[in-house]
Amino acid sequence: MNKKTIIVIFTGGTISMERDHNTNMNQIIDNQNELINDISKEIKNVVLETKLFSLKPSPAITPSDMFELAKLTNSLLEEPRIDGVVITHGTDTLEETAYFLDLYLASSKPVVFTGSMRSFSELGFDGLSNLVSSILVASNDQSKDKGVLVCLNDEVNTASEVTKSHTLSLDTFKSLEFGPIGIVEQENVIYTRKAPDFRKIIRPEAIEQNVEIVKISAGSSSLILNFLVESKIKGIVIEALGRGNVPPSMVEGIKNAIDHNIPVVLTSRCPKGRVLDNYGYIGGGHQLKTLGVIFTNNLNSQKARIRLMLALGMTKNLKEIALFF
């Protein structure tokens, strides 16, 4: 059997942290060599290479970082000798970076994100097992053509569906609507359903980072929306109620944004389900659709924001932007 070559890109996060005994706080360290040495005996028929991209906690990862990581990963995937890529990342924004790369990369080769919920020096450190499982996924031929994958706690999820669902639990990454597409069982990677096939590659030469999310609650006003318009925002994602509805007091702000040629993208604060335009009252989805609000398909607000940033890098035309959703 020919050995697969997998490159592991380290970006930081809890998997690259250890506890400072003086402060009792977790601190970022460069532990890539130690991690690889610890798991190398568990990985068969795989040649591992490493690259240090950054040493950042994931709240410090910016869309610019994601863009640079996407371009780096793409260049590595273009090398014939590279069979797949594993990326370690802090869990707080892992789903956003993974989704960014899912939209940007067109390669059929596997790209797998992983991380850990416990630091390198904590009892029960989950980073080693997550890293091993992710390498197994990246080196498996069945992992090709599935888009970017996320592997923690021996579950394989797609970047488009997965979200962090718990602040502490080791099985925090869940595809809430349909569940994982596969599992890792010892050395076996077992896929139980197909990955969603609605991927749309968006590869701009630059991205628009000036995009914000507005979360809706009962009685929300247009204050924040109007402030964003005055602040020259380039795009707005609304995390709406239910199937995609807002209080009547927000309609004026939404109309104001669209009148200023600012794309307004609609998601729901519900953790499952898609937004639809089947309510006809003031602030209901039908009115929002008529105004020109862009509806998403099973996307949470943080991923819709990433998608809008990339789309705005391609065009400023509202009708053309809508086609990316």
Side-chain angles (χ1 to χ4, degrees):
M1 178 182 293
N2 293 328
K3 287 191 174 184
K4 297 289 185 71
T5 298
I6 303 298
I7 187 161
V8 182
I9 303 174
F10 289 85
T11 71
T14 302
I15 196 172
S16 295
M17 288 185 180
E18 68 177 11
R19 190 176 297 277
D20 186 314
H21 296 294
N22 295 321
T23 64
N24 206 34
M25 295 288 108
N26 288 323
Q27 304 292 337
I28 290 272
I29 59 170
D30 181 1
N31 63 346
Q32 57 175 320
N33 291 333
E34 194 165 356
L35 285 172
I36 295 299
N37 289 337
D38 285 346
I39 68 170
S40 58
K41 61 181 178 297
E42 301 293 331
I43 303 296
K44 301 173 183 177
N45 298 313
V46 175
V47 176
L48 294 177
E49 298 181 11
T50 64
K51 183 172 287 289
L52 183 63
F53 176 79
S54 66
L55 287 173
K56 288 186 175 184
S58 64
I61 296 288
T62 66
S64 291
D65 292 328
M66 298 175 192
F67 196 27
E68 292 305 314
L69 180 61
K71 290 186 285 187
L72 169 64
T73 304
N74 186 65
S75 67
L76 293 171
L77 292 171
E78 289 178 342
E79 295 186 27
R81 66 183 187 84
I82 301 296
D83 296 296
V85 175
V86 170
I87 301 172
T88 71
H89 197 286
T91 59
D92 284 352
T93 60
L94 184 151
E95 66 184 272
E96 289 161 82
T97 305
Y99 187 59
F100 190 112
L101 269 66
D102 189 57
L103 294 173
Y104 186 88
L105 301 174
S107 175
S108 64
K109 296 178 182 179
V111 176
V112 186
F113 273 75
T114 193
S116 67
M117 295 299 292
R118 294 175 181 166
S119 71
F120 189 60
S121 55
E122 284 185 90
L123 190 65
F125 173 56
D126 54 321
L128 290 177
S129 61
N130 288 340
L131 189 54
V132 169
S133 294
S134 297
I135 292 167
L136 291 173
V137 171
S139 60
N140 191 294
D141 286 336
Q142 293 184 63
S143 301
K144 294 179 180 178
D145 294 308
K146 286 182 168 56
V148 173
L149 302 172
V150 174
C151 180
L152 291 92
N153 203 46
D154 287 336
E155 291 187 345
V156 184
N157 292 276
T158 65
S160 61
E161 294 178 323
V162 78
T163 191
K164 186 175 181 180
S165 66
H166 195 282
T167 59
L168 291 174
S169 177
L170 297 186
D171 65 344
T172 180
F173 282 92
K174 297 292 184 185
S175 296
L176 298 175
E177 189 88 47
F178 305 111
I181 65 167
I183 60 171
V184 180
E185 186 180 73
Q186 295 180 328
E187 296 182 359
N188 301 308
V189 179
I190 303 168
Y191 286 103
T192 55
R193 69 176 177 92
K194 290 184 177 180
D197 59 0
F198 49 77
R199 290 181 70 220
K200 187 179 185 71
I201 303 302
I202 311 175
R203 186 177 289 181
E205 294 184 0
I207 60 171
E208 176 55 70
Q209 297 189 60
N210 193 14
V211 177
E212 295 291 345
I213 297 170
V214 178
K215 185 180 179 75
I216 309 306
S217 55
S220 290
S221 72
S222 292
L223 179 65
I224 295 176
L225 290 172
N226 289 332
F227 172 78
L228 291 174
V229 173
E230 293 172 6
S231 301
K232 310 298 183 184
I233 197 74
K234 301 303 181 183
I236 297 171
V237 175
I238 290 181
E239 190 177 303
L241 308 171
R243 282 204 161 185
N245 312 300
V246 302
S249 50
M250 291 201 69
V251 173
E252 178 270 328
I254 291 171
K255 186 176 184 303
N256 184 32
I258 294 172
D259 286 346
H260 281 81
N261 202 45
I262 299 169
V264 178
V265 173
L266 194 70
T267 68
S268 175
R269 71 180 193 179
C270 297
K272 294 192 289 185
R274 61 194 179 108
V275 289
L276 294 171
D277 60 341
N278 61 335
Y279 284 102
Y281 50 74
I282 297 175
H286 180 72
Q287 183 188 29
L288 300 182
K289 192 99 172 205
T290 302
L291 289 175
V293 172
I294 299 168
F295 281 50
T296 58
N297 187 11
N298 290 85
L299 275 184
N300 60 27
S301 60
Q302 56 266 35
K303 290 181 185 175
R305 177 174 176 261
I306 294 296
R307 195 178 190 95
L308 183 54
M309 286 179 176
L310 286 161
L312 282 165
M314 300 291 289
T315 179
K316 307 301 181 187
N317 183 284
L318 295 187
K319 291 183 179 180
E320 292 177 357
I321 290 171
L323 297 177
F324 287 105
F325 287 85

